Amino acid sequence: MTKFIIEIANTHGGNKQYMLSLLSEFEKFEGHGIKFQPLHPDQLATPDFEWYPVYQELMFNSEEWQEIIVKAAETKKVWLDLFDIYGVTILEENRNYIFGIKLQASVLYNEQVIAALGQCDCSQLKLIVNISAIEMNAIEERVVSLQKIIAPQEILLEVGFQAYPTELEDSGFNKIAVLKKAFPNAIVFADHVDGKLDDAITLPLLASMMGADYLEKHVMHSSLETKYDYLSSIKVHQYQRLVEQVAVYGTLTKKPFINEKEILYLKNSIQKPLSREKKLAGQGIDRQMDLSFKRSGKSGLTATELIALTEQKYILANEVEKGSTFKREDFKKATIAVIIAGRLKSSRLKRKALLKIGELPSVEKCIQSCLKLPETTYTVLATSTEKEDAELADYTYAPQVVFHRGHPDDVIQRYLDVTEKLGIDVVIRVTADMPYVSKEITEYLLKVHFESGADYTAAKDCAVGTAPEIINVQALNKVKEHFPSADYSEYMTWYFQNNREFFNVKVVDLPKDYVRDYRLTLDYQEDLDLFNALQAHLDKENKDGSLFHIFAFLDESPEVVQLNNHIGLKYKTDQKLIDTLNQVTKIKA
């Protein structure tokens, strides 16, 4: 809460009756500070100084100062502005009535005054240090020095100087924020703008809201003639207005960041997300493509609530009609599963699923990687009903892995059978020839998949074998509606990327650190040789198979990379196969 210091300065003109009458006018402001300037002309200036005669006129003797200070202390906290040894003497003579002292910038290097204060017990006094025209490094030095010599209870830094009057742009207002950032000390703002202007109220009010802890304000009598310092002074009714304004506006900075009325306003006026088209259970929400935003009398989720659900990997549990709002009960937390497609019928590398990478068969190495993938409820090894594939039941690596046997050729049907049985909503599709599928890439793809409401998400570029695909089960069912017998569904990717007008397909640019041009899929002996060289390194260094450990090794081992980097991917190089896939996977509208 901002505190006030009433600055009497020289408005009294050396007239004690003026001073006492002024004190009576401001008597009602109990608890405020009030500051006097006890000075001796012969200690403050030489006779040739232009203001010397004025200082002679302004001087009160010790008895007069005692009467004034005792009177003021009945309702105020008394401060003394010290310029000379005489002021220190007045301090000592009235010690029991003094709350604090002040040193003007012009006195900060007066070693005589500072030393005299060092001989006093100032431990219960606050000290205001005016820093006008003092550089930042010098301010720090003075604060440290004065604390050491005078040892006051607290040092406050004051902004502002007297220029009869001070122009608004010279007020030092800009220093408040700078000082608060650089020093822990409380800040005093003393403005000296023309007291007849609105600025005389507005400027200290703004300073208070900027963080000034104290406001020092020049005042003068409301009816008696004021000979000196009247240009920057205000009268009691103006001071009353300033106090009231600071009280009112000061509370504004303490209000909660969000108030109840603005909450109500937003609630009544916010544009709600509406479904642009009919949305089906099992789908996600593409916040750009699936929504329109309008003010509506219908109840429903706000955009931020909808965003929160998608970020938490929720999908639709119910159908939502075109133009409808979304409700919380329309969503469910997606059940996510890794489904690994694997068989033993490989022709290029016989029974590759059982060939060892290090100590594990390659299929179990794949399962080991998949068990590390994020936010999954199930890990499934899905093979065919062919007799030879029954053997894979002995290679599931861990007891929690679900072993599923399904359609020998239609991989999509094989997936749908197990998703229906387990209540799976979203599939992380992996093939058993991916022994080092990446947790890091999977996390990234899942995030994009749910936040974009995609049906299908894949990486644009990656080290082959490190990136899975993310597919909604609802989208897999839609494929089956168009392709009751999906003859080439081991190339599942094509059914989505070749039908973008029917599916929300996201092919994602991965972060650069996630991408290399390495081959990390198992089809040939050269692939197996690379994997065993890689695994031997990981085992020796006691490192897991994280993407970055793999890349770190391969980046430094070109001879290992060369083992298989000449091998291409058939579905990218075999033009006859590509033409066939383009034909058989395209949905005919």
Side-chain angles (χ1 to χ4, degrees):
M1 183 176 180
T2 306
K3 300 177 178 66
F4 292 86
I5 300 175
I6 299 167
E7 170 64 278
I8 304 299
N10 301 318
T11 56
H12 56 80
N15 184 330
K16 189 180 74 170
Q17 295 308 314
Y18 180 106
M19 178 80 87
L20 294 174
S21 181
L22 183 61
L23 293 180
S24 295
E25 279 200 328
F26 283 83
E27 201 169 40
K28 62 181 178 180
F29 299 104
E30 291 192 23
H32 287 215
I34 191 164
K35 187 160 67 65
F36 304 109
Q37 296 182 347
L39 55 85
H40 194 293
D42 294 324
Q43 293 184 16
L44 179 58
T46 57
D48 61 347
F49 187 65
E50 62 176 325
W51 282 84
Y52 180 81
V54 176
Y55 299 152
Q56 289 180 309
E57 185 180 354
L58 294 172
M59 181 179 170
F60 292 118
N61 61 37
S62 293
E63 291 75 18
E64 289 173 317
W65 272 123
Q66 185 177 46
E67 182 182 354
I68 292 166
I69 290 170
V70 170
K71 173 68 175 174
E74 292 176 0
T75 59
K76 306 289 187 297
K77 295 173 180 176
V78 178
W79 295 74
L80 296 183
D81 207 341
L82 303 179
F83 298 89
D84 51 33
I85 296 300
Y86 178 72
V88 177
T89 301
I90 299 301
L91 166 65
E92 284 288 85
E93 292 174 350
N94 298 276
R95 170 58 62 88
N96 293 336
Y97 300 100
I98 307 304
F99 179 78
I101 57 178
K102 172 181 171 181
L103 294 178
Q104 295 279 6
S106 60
V107 188
L108 288 185
Y109 294 93
N110 186 328
E111 298 299 337
Q112 186 183 26
V113 170
I114 294 170
L117 287 171
Q119 297 301 310
C120 303
D121 179 8
C122 296
S123 61
Q124 300 303 310
L125 299 177
K126 296 182 185 293
L127 169 61
I128 295 175
V129 176
N130 187 286
I131 52 82
S132 297
I134 308 296
E135 297 288 350
M136 291 290 284
N137 59 342
I139 295 171
E140 183 176 5
E141 183 277 328
R142 282 290 84 187
V143 167
V144 172
S145 179
L146 294 172
Q147 184 65 53
K148 182 178 180 181
I149 297 171
I150 301 175
Q153 182 189 77
E154 178 185 3
I155 292 181
L156 300 81
L157 301 179
E158 182 179 77
V159 172
F161 71 101
Q162 176 66 280
Y164 306 103
T166 305
E167 297 295 331
L168 185 63
E169 59 267 27
D170 298 327
S171 65
F173 180 82
N174 59 302
K175 294 183 181 182
I176 297 173
V178 176
L179 291 172
K180 288 190 78 69
K181 184 177 181 180
F183 296 95
N185 308 67
I187 305 300
V188 183
F189 183 73
D191 86 280
H192 300 86
V193 296
D194 191 333
K196 297 188 297 296
L197 301 178
D198 289 341
D199 294 338
I201 304 298
T202 304
L203 186 59
L205 173 61
L206 292 175
S208 172
M209 298 190 73
M210 277 287 290
D213 303 285
Y214 288 77
L215 297 177
E216 180 183 304
K217 192 66 185 175
H218 278 246
V219 301
M220 63 183 178
H221 201 280
S222 61
S223 59
L224 296 177
E225 181 182 357
T226 302
K227 190 173 181 180
Y228 302 112
D229 279 345
Y230 57 85
L231 288 172
S232 300
S233 297
I234 60 174
K235 297 180 179 180
V236 66
H237 71 280
Q238 293 171 288
Y239 186 81
Q240 176 73 47
R241 180 180 166 216
L242 172 61
V243 171
E244 292 172 350
Q245 293 283 323
V246 168
V248 170
Y249 285 90
T251 62
L252 300 183
T253 61
K254 310 242 179 348
K255 296 291 184 183
F257 184 73
I258 299 174
N259 63 59
E260 293 298 324
K261 289 184 180 178
E262 66 180 308
I263 292 173
L264 180 61
Y265 168 79
L266 182 60
K267 181 179 178 181
N268 292 333
S269 63
I270 194 168
Q271 293 182 334
K272 295 176 183 176
L274 308 176
S275 181
R276 189 176 290 180
E277 300 292 341
K278 182 178 180 179
K279 295 292 294 180
L280 303 177
Q283 290 185 310
I285 300 295
D286 186 327
R287 300 198 296 258
Q288 293 184 0
M289 302 301 296
D290 291 339
L291 306 177
S292 61
F293 294 85
K294 296 179 182 179
R295 291 181 176 178
S296 173
K298 302 174 183 176
S299 62
L301 298 174
T302 64
T304 53
E305 290 169 334
L306 200 58
I307 289 170
L309 288 174
T310 57
E311 289 178 346
Q312 294 168 40
K313 298 179 174 57
Y314 278 71
I315 59 171
L316 285 170
N318 306 312
E319 288 187 3
V320 177
E321 295 297 326
K322 178 180 179 179
S324 296
T325 57
F326 295 86
K327 297 180 174 59
R328 177 61 185 82
E329 57 266 27
D330 292 329
F331 290 86
K332 60 171 286 190
K333 180 79 171 179
T335 299
I336 304 171
V338 185
I339 301 183
I340 306 162
R343 293 193 59 183
L344 291 175
K345 70 170 187 176
S346 52
S347 57
R348 290 183 290 271
L349 187 62
K350 298 294 186 182
R351 294 169 62 83
K352 64 181 180 180
L354 303 185
L355 299 177
K356 285 193 174 183
I357 298 173
E359 297 298 319
L360 287 176
S362 69
V363 65
E364 293 198 312
K365 188 65 187 170
C366 175
I367 294 170
Q368 183 188 56
S369 296
C370 289
L371 287 171
K372 299 175 184 177
L373 299 185
E375 302 190 68
T376 55
T377 303
Y378 300 104
T379 299
V380 180
L381 175 59
T383 190
S384 82
T385 53
E386 296 289 345
K387 182 178 180 180
E388 63 176 332
D389 292 326
E391 186 179 353
L392 286 171
D394 298 326
Y395 296 92
T396 58
Y397 181 73
Q400 70 266 35
V401 175
V402 176
F403 182 68
H404 172 76
R405 300 182 71 189
H407 200 288
D409 299 313
D410 190 339
V411 181
I412 293 178
Q413 187 60 56
R414 196 189 308 168
Y415 272 37
L416 288 175
D417 288 343
V418 71
T419 58
E420 182 179 2
K421 180 169 66 176
L422 299 177
I424 296 166
D425 301 302
V426 176
V427 169
I428 300 173
R429 179 184 177 241
V430 174
T431 55
D433 51 16
M434 298 165 61
Y436 295 99
V437 61
S438 166
K439 174 185 176 183
E440 297 84 0
I441 292 176
T442 304
E443 286 178 335
Y444 190 87
L445 293 178
L446 278 172
K447 184 176 187 296
V448 172
H449 184 81
F450 282 93
E451 293 182 8
S452 66
D455 295 313
Y456 169 94
T457 302
K460 183 177 181 181
D461 293 304
C462 61
V464 177
T466 59
E469 297 162 294
I470 316 297
I471 310 171
N472 286 353
V473 171
Q474 188 274 336
L476 284 173
N477 277 307
K478 186 173 180 178
V479 170
K480 287 299 290 182
E481 290 174 8
H482 291 278
F483 300 95
S485 177
D487 297 329
Y488 286 82
S489 61
E490 69 269 28
Y491 298 102
M492 202 177 296
T493 304
W494 289 75
Y495 286 92
F496 295 99
Q497 298 207 38
N498 208 20
N499 293 290
R500 294 178 185 237
E501 65 273 35
F502 293 94
F503 298 102
N504 182 357
V505 173
K506 296 294 179 185
V507 179
V508 179
D509 286 312
L510 296 175
K512 291 182 180 179
D513 289 348
Y514 291 11
V515 179
R516 294 289 193 282
D517 189 22
Y518 298 141
R519 177 182 167 88
L520 294 170
T521 187
L522 181 59
D523 266 323
Y524 298 91
Q525 181 62 46
E526 294 93 329
D527 299 325
L528 187 63
D529 294 341
L530 181 145
F531 286 139
N532 275 297
L534 169 61
Q535 191 60 46
H537 167 78
L538 295 175
D539 291 342
K540 179 181 178 182
E541 298 296 326
N542 195 28
K543 292 181 178 179
D544 61 22
S546 73
L547 186 70
F548 302 118
H549 288 153
I550 291 171
F551 284 173
F553 170 68
L554 295 178
D555 289 347
E556 299 298 324
S557 306
E559 72 284 358
V560 176
V561 174
Q562 289 175 8
L563 291 172
N564 70 351
N565 66 356
H566 60 284
I567 302 173
L569 294 170
K570 185 178 180 183
Y571 64 85
K572 288 188 175 182
T573 58
D574 186 334
Q575 190 58 50
K576 183 178 180 181
L577 175 62
I578 293 171
D579 291 342
T580 299
L581 291 173
N582 279 329
Q583 180 180 359
V584 302
T585 64
K586 183 69 177 174
I587 294 175
K588 307 299 189 293

